[in-house]
Amino acid sequence: MKKWINYLPTLFVVLIVLSLFFYSSQGSTRTMNYTQFKEMAEDARFGDTNVSISTSIIHVDGVLQDGDSNIQYSVIIPNSEANLEWLEDTLTENGGEITVQDPNQSSIWITLLGNILPLVIIGVFFYIMFAKMGGGSSNKAFEFAKSKARVETNVKTRFRDVAGCEEEKEEVKEIIDYLRSPKKFTDMGAHIPKGILMVGPPGTGKTLLAKAVAGEANVPFFSISGSDFVEMFVGTGASRVRDMFKNAQKSAPCIVFIDEIDAVGRQRGAGMGGGNDEREQTLNQLLVEMDGMTDNIGIVVIAATNRPDVLDPALLRSGRFDRRVTVNLPDVKGRKEILEVHARNKKLASDVSLENLARRTPGFSGADLANVLNEGAILAVRNKETQITMTDLDEAIDRVMMGPAKKSKKYTEKDKMLVSYHEAGHAVIGLKLEDADMVQKVTIIPRGEAGGYNLMTPREEKYFHRKSEFIARITGLLGGRTAEEIVFGEVSAGAVNDIEQLTKIAKNMVRVYGMSSLGPIQYADPQGNVFLGRDYTQGSSYSDGVADEIDKEVRAIVDACHQQCRQILTENRDLLDLIAKNLFEHETLTNEEINNLMNYGSLEDPHAPKPEPQPEKTQPDVPPIPSKNAGVEQKDLDDALSELTKKKDV
C-alpha cells in the first residue's frame, strides 16, 4: 500500500495533463447558436454529422466546409418537425451522412467523470499533503506505549567471538543447554534461573556475552536499554514492560537483554536525586512481570550494569535475578585472546607480538584492546603502509591512554629540561625500587594535558596488593616532583596528576585497607561511586578526632615515601642526569634503551652481537678500454723521444 501511495503524486499530475489536453481538444470546436448556424448553412457544405435528439432540443455535431477551411461545429436546435426536415435536407444535400445517437447513452460515464473524478483527485491531493506535513504521525500515538526492544532472530555471535572470560562462559552454559532442551531440566525438577545479572566495568563484554548465549542457543534476542522504558508520561514505561514480555512469550524460548538496568532499577524512595514516580512504576511492573513468569517458560532475562550498588534490593532477591555473573577486566592471558579475536581481519607485520602487546596493556578492557588494534590500523593507512607494524601499535597504545601526541607544541629549552628531569625521576625510581612498576617507555612529547608521559606496568599482575607495593607506587609517583626539587631547587605544577593519584592511594591505605597505626578499621565506604539519593545525607562514620588522626597518617605515609624517593634519586644522581640528557636529546626512550643507560651508560648494548656487514655490491669486471698507447710502457716512450732528438741534431 505504501508503494502505491508514493506513486499518487505522479498519477495526480498525469490526470491534470490529460484533463488539460481534453479541454484543449474541445476548444477547437466552434459552438454556434441556431441563427448563426442557419446563416452559415446557406453557403456551407456539410460532411458527416452526429445528431442527438432529446425531448426539446436537437444536439448537432459535425464538420462543415466554409470556403477552403473545415470547421468543426456544435449547435443546439429546438426540437420540431420543421427543424428536423430542414436539418435532414441541409445536412444530406452534399452527400453527407447523419448518425443519430441516444442522448442517454453516455450520461452515466459523463456524470462519473465530470462530477466524481474531480472530487477523488482533490481528496487524494489533500491526503498526500497532510501525510507530507506530518498528519500521518498521529498513527504513532497508538505505538507510544509499545516496547522499543530490538529483536534479532538469527544471532551470528558465538562463544569463539568472546575471549578473556572463560569462567563467565561456564556460568551461562547451562542456560544454553536449557534453551536447547528444557525437558531434561524439568524431568529433574530443576528450575532454570529467571534472571542473570552481569556486573563489571564498562567495555568488558557483558553485552557481547549475552548475545553469544543467544547465538549458541539459536534463540531470538530481545535487546533494550533501561532508559528506553522511562518517558515523560507516567505509566508509559510500565506499559512498555508489559508489551515486551508479551512479545517475548510469543517468541519463547528467547533471551531478553536489558542493558544499563540501573537507569530503571535504582533503589525506590531514595529521596534526593533518586525519586522518580515514572521510573519507580516501571520498576514495579518489571518486578511483577518477572514474578508472573512461570518456571521453565522459556524466557531468560539477562541484565547488565556497572553500578550494582544502586540497584533496588527487590530486584536482586532470589526468584528474580537469581544469579550474578561478574565480568572483570581480563588478565594477560585474556588480553592476548581478545587481541587474537580482534586481529582476525587485520594485516599484522611479522614483528608484531600479541603476547608482548598484552603484557604492555594491564587494566585495558576488551573495548580498549579493540580500539588499540583499530587505531594501529588507522595509523598504518595514514603512513601508507601495507601492514600494521609494532611501531603503529605502540603509538596506538599511547593514543588510547593519553591522546594523540602534540608534536607541534614547542618547549622552551628550560621547560624541556625540566620535563626531562621530571620523567627521568619516575624512570629512576622504577629501575631502583624493588616493588615499583617497570618502566616501559618514557617520552617528553606532550600528550593530552600532560607535558610528558611515563608508561609503567606492574612486574606481575596480582589480585591482592601488599602494603610495600602501595608504598613503592606512591614513591614512584613522587619521583618527578622530587627530581625537580633536587635539580632545580623548586617544583612545578606538572605533578598535579601524580599528587592526585598518590593522595588517593594513601587515603585508601588508611581509611579502607587498614594499613596504618589506626588498625584494621574501615573509615570509609569502599565503593568509589556516590549515589546522590542515598549518600548525600549520610553523615560521617567517624568523629572529628579520628578524622584528624587519618590526616596525620596520610601525611606520614606521603612524607616517608618522599624521603625515600629523595634518597634514591640522590644516590643515583648520575643515572638521573644521564637519562634526562638522553631524553632531552632523543625525546623518547624505550625500556631496552633505559636499561642500557643504567647498565652500560649508552643507548646501545656494546656486548650485543652486531649485525654482519653486508658485502658491497661490486660491478662486474669490465676490461679497460685500450688507449692509443696501450701496450707501450713509459720507458719505451722515453727511448723513442731520445732517438727523435738525436736525429734532429744530426
Side-chain angles (χ1 to χ4, degrees):
M1 182 63 183
K2 292 182 178 180
K3 183 182 294 186
W4 285 105
I5 291 177
N6 295 332
Y7 291 110
L8 285 179
T10 305
L11 180 60
F12 180 73
V13 173
V14 171
L15 290 176
I16 292 178
V17 172
L18 291 176
S19 299
L20 293 175
F21 179 76
F22 175 74
Y23 285 111
S24 64
S25 63
Q26 284 186 342
S28 62
T29 302
R30 181 175 179 180
T31 303
M32 297 179 289
N33 57 31
Y34 179 51
T35 304
Q36 292 174 342
F37 178 71
K38 288 191 70 173
E39 293 177 354
M40 187 173 291
E42 294 178 356
D43 300 327
R45 300 180 61 184
F46 292 93
D48 295 338
T49 308
N50 296 324
V51 177
S52 175
I53 303 174
S54 62
T55 306
S56 57
I57 61 173
I58 303 171
H59 191 185
V60 181
D61 291 319
V63 178
L64 59 84
Q65 184 177 4
D66 185 11
D68 296 333
S69 61
N70 294 329
I71 300 175
Q72 187 174 357
Y73 68 93
S74 176
V75 64
I76 297 176
I77 302 173
N79 187 1
S80 64
E81 294 184 3
N83 288 338
L84 285 173
E85 293 178 358
W86 176 78
L87 278 175
E88 184 177 0
D89 296 338
T90 303
L91 297 177
T92 59
E93 181 178 358
N94 299 317
E97 296 183 357
I98 298 176
T99 302
V100 179
Q101 295 180 344
D102 186 0
N104 300 320
Q105 181 178 0
S106 59
S107 60
I108 297 177
W109 297 106
I110 292 175
T111 303
L112 289 175
L113 293 176
N115 298 329
I116 299 177
L117 186 59
L119 296 177
V120 173
I121 295 175
I122 293 173
V124 170
F125 174 76
F126 280 106
Y127 174 80
I128 296 172
M129 292 296 294
F130 277 112
K132 295 292 184 182
M133 294 172 60
S137 61
S138 60
N139 296 330
K140 296 182 180 180
F142 299 100
E143 301 178 0
F144 189 73
K146 290 187 177 181
S147 171
K148 292 185 177 181
R150 295 166 294 278
V151 185
E152 294 184 45
T153 56
N154 188 17
V155 181
K156 303 291 185 181
T157 308
R158 298 293 186 269
F159 273 172
R160 63 175 178 271
D161 302 318
V162 184
C165 50
E166 298 302 322
E167 292 80 5
E168 290 79 0
K169 293 180 185 178
E170 293 294 332
E171 288 292 324
V172 296
K173 276 188 176 179
E174 62 263 19
I175 303 297
I176 300 173
D177 294 338
Y178 162 71
L179 293 173
R180 286 178 176 175
S181 55
K183 188 176 184 302
K184 64 181 181 181
F185 287 87
T186 56
D187 292 343
M188 189 62 66
H191 302 291
I192 204 69
K194 293 182 179 179
I196 298 176
L197 182 65
M198 292 189 177
V199 180
T204 51
K206 300 183 290 294
T207 303
L208 189 63
L209 182 59
K211 187 174 290 188
V213 173
E216 291 287 344
N218 195 21
V219 295
F221 183 71
F222 290 76
S223 62
I224 192 171
S225 174
S227 60
D228 289 336
F229 292 112
V230 182
E231 290 285 353
M232 179 178 64
F233 304 105
V234 177
T236 302
S239 178
R240 289 178 178 176
V241 170
R242 289 192 295 269
D243 186 68
M244 181 182 66
F245 277 90
K246 181 180 178 182
N247 294 334
Q249 289 179 3
K250 296 178 181 179
S251 302
C254 65
I255 287 179
V256 177
F257 177 70
I258 305 176
D259 197 10
E260 304 296 343
I261 194 174
D262 54 277
V264 70
R266 293 196 175 204
Q267 296 178 14
R268 291 168 291 181
M272 183 177 181
N276 183 289
D277 192 34
E278 162 63 1
R279 181 186 54 77
E280 292 182 2
Q281 285 199 24
T282 305
L283 174 59
N284 292 338
Q285 188 62 44
L286 180 61
L287 299 176
V288 171
E289 291 293 336
M290 294 192 70
D291 284 341
M293 291 167 51
T294 58
D295 294 331
N296 298 330
I297 194 175
I299 301 176
V300 178
V301 182
I302 301 178
T305 181
N306 54 6
R307 293 291 307 274
D309 56 303
V310 303
L311 295 180
D312 195 272
L315 196 64
L316 303 177
R317 74 160 176 83
S318 299
R320 286 170 181 158
F321 284 97
D322 304 276
R323 182 174 300 179
R324 176 183 294 195
V325 177
T326 302
V327 186
N328 289 317
L329 292 171
D331 56 8
V332 60
K333 179 183 177 183
R335 291 197 297 273
K336 180 184 177 183
E337 294 174 354
I338 292 173
L339 288 170
E340 289 174 350
V341 170
H342 292 291
R344 290 174 183 171
N345 61 339
K346 303 289 191 304
K347 296 181 180 179
L348 301 180
S350 58
D351 65 334
V352 174
S353 173
L354 296 182
E355 184 175 357
N356 292 339
L357 197 64
R359 294 185 181 279
R360 295 182 55 184
T361 52
F364 276 46
S365 65
D368 294 332
L369 295 172
N371 194 18
V372 167
L373 290 178
N374 185 60
E375 287 288 343
I378 293 174
L379 290 172
V381 174
R382 182 183 300 174
N383 298 332
K384 298 181 179 179
E385 300 169 349
T386 58
Q387 291 180 323
I388 304 172
T389 63
M390 200 65 188
T391 304
D392 298 328
L393 295 177
D394 287 339
E395 175 66 19
I397 293 175
D398 297 340
R399 292 172 70 91
V400 171
M401 294 183 66
M402 301 292 295
K406 298 181 179 179
K407 296 182 180 180
S408 60
K409 184 178 180 180
K410 300 297 182 182
Y411 287 120
T412 63
E413 294 295 321
K414 185 175 180 180
D415 289 341
K416 187 176 181 180
M417 182 61 69
L418 186 143
V419 176
S420 299
Y421 271 99
H422 181 103
E423 300 302 333
H426 290 301
V428 171
I429 298 298
L431 292 171
K432 295 299 182 178
L433 193 59
E434 180 180 358
D435 292 323
D437 294 340
M438 295 176 58
V439 180
Q440 296 289 348
K441 181 180 180 181
V442 182
T443 179
I444 60 173
I445 299 176
R447 286 184 180 273
E449 298 180 358
Y453 174 48
N454 197 324
L455 177 60
M456 304 179 72
T457 59
R459 299 179 187 274
E460 57 180 351
E461 295 188 34
K462 299 179 180 180
Y463 288 101
F464 302 102
H465 297 279
R466 295 176 284 113
K467 180 179 178 179
S468 60
E469 294 173 351
F470 286 124
I471 295 294
R473 187 173 298 178
I474 295 175
T475 306
L477 290 170
L478 285 168
R481 178 185 173 92
T482 307
E484 295 177 14
E485 293 176 356
I486 294 173
V487 177
F488 301 100
E490 61 177 351
V491 294
S492 68
V496 58
N497 189 36
D498 299 333
I499 295 174
E500 180 183 355
Q501 293 184 48
L502 67 89
T503 303
K504 182 178 179 180
I505 295 173
K507 285 185 176 181
N508 285 336
M509 289 177 63
V510 177
R511 300 172 59 190
V512 179
Y513 306 129
M515 296 179 178
S516 68
S517 61
L518 296 180
I521 302 175
Q522 190 175 88
Y523 295 103
D525 186 358
Q527 296 290 341
N529 296 323
V530 176
F531 182 29
L532 185 62
R534 178 192 61 197
D535 301 332
Y536 183 77
T537 57
Q538 185 175 356
S540 175
S541 59
Y542 46 85
S543 64
D544 294 339
V546 173
D548 184 61
E549 293 183 16
I550 291 173
D551 293 339
K552 291 180 180 178
E553 289 292 331
V554 171
R555 185 174 292 108
I557 292 174
V558 176
D559 289 343
C561 294
H562 189 197
Q563 184 178 356
Q564 183 184 16
C565 181
R566 177 179 285 273
Q567 180 181 354
I568 294 174
L569 292 179
T570 303
E571 295 175 354
N572 297 275
R573 177 63 187 269
D574 293 340
L575 180 59
L576 178 66
D577 294 337
L578 182 62
I579 295 177
K581 177 184 176 181
N582 281 273
L583 263 179
F584 184 87
E585 181 179 354
H586 300 285
E587 295 187 342
T588 301
L589 297 178
T590 63
N591 179 24
E592 183 180 0
E593 292 173 338
I594 293 173
N595 287 326
N596 289 337
L597 288 174
M598 181 179 66
N599 296 326
Y600 311 110
S602 62
L603 293 177
E604 297 182 357
D605 184 1
H607 305 293
K610 296 183 178 180
E612 297 181 0
Q614 298 292 333
E616 296 183 359
K617 295 182 179 180
T618 59
Q619 298 293 335
D621 295 335
V622 179
I625 301 175
S627 62
K628 295 181 180 180
N629 298 326
V632 181
E633 297 181 357
Q634 184 68 30
K635 182 176 178 298
D636 299 331
L637 292 175
D638 294 338
D639 294 341
L641 185 60
S642 298
E643 291 292 334
L644 291 174
T645 304
K646 289 179 181 179
K647 291 180 180 180
K648 186 176 180 181
D649 293 339
V650 172

